[in-house]
Amino acid sequence: MHNILEKLFGWLYPLLRKIYFGETLASYISLILNIIILCFLAYITYIVFRLILVTILAIIAKKTKTNFDDLLVSNQTAKYIAHLIPFVFIYKSVPVILEHYVYWESMFGKLVGIYIILLSLWIIRSVLKAIRDYLKEQPRFSDKPIDSYIQVIMIVLWIYGVGVIISKLFDIDKNTLLGTLGAISAIVILIFRDTILGFVASVQVSLNDMVRIGDWITFDKYGADGDVIEINLATVKVRNFDNTTTTIPTYSLISDSFRNWRGMLDSDGRRIKRHILVKAKSIRFLTDDELQKMKKIQLISDYIDIRQTEISKYNKTYNVDKELAINGRNMTNFGLFRKYITNYLENYPGLNKNMILLCRQLQPTAQGIPLEIYAFSKDQRFEQYEYIMADIFDHIIASIAYFDLELYEMPSDKSNFLG
């Protein structure tokens, strides 16, 4: 290579000397003309290789089934490589052209070398971006934090590139430079603290499958409640349901507590767990006349008949005195209401009958007796879930009056009760 360059640029000076130019003048004229020739050849090299590389890559992209080469084209990888080739040619030519100009040879050699390093990093970056885009299109990698890994690789490459540039610019031995960097590693760690923490967090998040792109998460500390749209080295972006965007530090995913709703969305139902408060004073035993009226409620008419038969048999067997309702076994309006709600839920089409479904009484409170619905809707979508839950409780609140029960409200005077 060196011999070829000497033949290419070394013929001009002897020729000028033969036609009676002075040594100094011949040296300057040959230098200027060689620089012009170098620039011209570098430009021609760039045009030729750009045409060849871009054309070949475009042809390959059209003929292959994979989308990776299309992404290389869209990320302009071929153009960057076409830029690199003429600068390698210039870098090799500078020592030949500036052979008698040591200072300028050193300066331009370093500048061109630095540009080649930066351009090489840019080419690697474009290839990594193409790899990132390609992996994101693959179903098994679409929810993985690919951006984090690409950023880590680029940070390592940039650190190495900056080290090479410094060693080349100041003529520092690489081993000496590495020793110096080791001495100031504490400062480097301090500067890149968030990056290091983010990298460790992204690795743990990925290995433990804690968060994927597309997951619905709730992070109360940062006011985030929505879908994860991006996982980077330093941040996780969440698009909230009000269309705002919350940015969360990646390392917070392993240092703080958050809720991931993926398990619920992947399951067969979304849990409904809500209660109403029934005024304790309105709960009482039912008389036979009241039970006869309630038999008109179709969902519990058969149940009332069966329970009345069981209770009457029990009371006769043990000769129970029924002058007082408290004696023996009886039905209450609250118990009958619970059974009605249970039957209603079992017949409601929006609930998953293969999962837990119950209507239960909770620990009494100062505000009343909680009656809780614990069930799972078939549809996990937010709008349908809210509709199903509202529809169920609309019916519960409207039907409670038929059982002579009252809902608790503040203030607790009777005029403010429903039912």
Side-chain angles (χ1 to χ4, degrees), residues 200-212 254 262:
V200 173
S202 63
V203 171
Q204 290 190 2
V205 166
S206 178
L207 292 177
N208 298 323
D209 199 21
M210 295 169 63
V211 176
R212 303 175 188 168
I254 60 175
R262 188 202 313 156

Side-chain angles (χ1 to χ4, degrees), residues 131-169:
I131 294 173
R132 178 200 65 186
D133 296 338
Y134 176 74
L135 292 178
K136 282 187 174 182
E137 293 178 354
Q138 306 302 311
R140 58 178 178 171
F141 293 108
S142 60
D143 54 359
K144 298 295 186 294
I146 305 299
D147 291 299
S148 298
Y149 303 131
I150 298 298
Q151 288 173 357
V152 170
I153 294 172
M154 283 309 303
I155 287 173
V156 173
L157 290 175
W158 274 110
I159 292 174
Y160 177 77
V162 170
V164 174
I165 289 172
I166 293 173
S167 65
K168 181 174 285 294
L169 194 60

Side-chain angles (χ1 to χ4, degrees), residues 283-291 294 303-304 306-316 318 320-339:
I283 300 174
R284 60 181 179 79
F285 296 120
L286 293 172
T287 64
D288 291 337
D289 293 338
E290 289 173 325
L291 288 172
M294 287 187 179
Y303 172 79
I304 292 174
I306 294 172
R307 289 289 291 160
Q308 274 188 312
T309 302
E310 291 176 354
I311 290 172
S312 296
K313 184 178 179 180
Y314 175 88
N315 290 336
K316 287 181 181 178
Y318 292 95
V320 176
D321 182 6
K322 293 304 296 175
E323 288 188 11
L324 293 177
I326 194 172
N327 293 328
R329 297 177 63 182
N330 300 278
M331 280 189 279
T332 64
N333 57 348
F334 194 38
L336 201 58
F337 182 62
R338 288 201 319 273
K339 182 60 179 179

Side-chain angles (χ1 to χ4, degrees), residues 9-19 21-31 34 100-101:
F9 297 107
W11 61 272
L12 192 56
Y13 177 76
L15 178 63
L16 291 174
R17 290 288 292 153
K18 285 182 180 180
I19 56 177
F21 278 92
E23 182 179 346
T24 303
L25 183 59
S27 177
Y28 281 120
I29 292 174
S30 65
L31 174 63
N34 280 333
H100 302 291
Y101 303 90

Side-chain angles (χ1 to χ4, degrees), residues 385-396:
Y385 167 78
E386 289 293 336
Y387 172 81
I388 291 170
M389 185 163 55
D391 190 42
I392 290 172
F393 276 86
D394 284 349
H395 185 84
I396 291 173

Side-chain angles (χ1 to χ4, degrees), residues 60 68 91 108 138 154 161 173-174 188 204-205 232 246 254 264 280-281 283 302 326 339 344 351 357 359 404 411:
I60 294 173
F68 180 67
Y91 182 75
F108 282 107
Q138 306 302 311
M154 283 309 303
D173 182 69
K174 291 181 181 179
V188 174
Q204 290 190 2
V205 166
N232 291 323
T246 300
I254 60 175
M264 178 273 295
K281 190 176 181 180
I283 300 174
D302 293 338
I326 194 172
K339 182 60 179 179
Y344 173 78
L351 298 179
L357 189 153
C359 172
D404 200 23

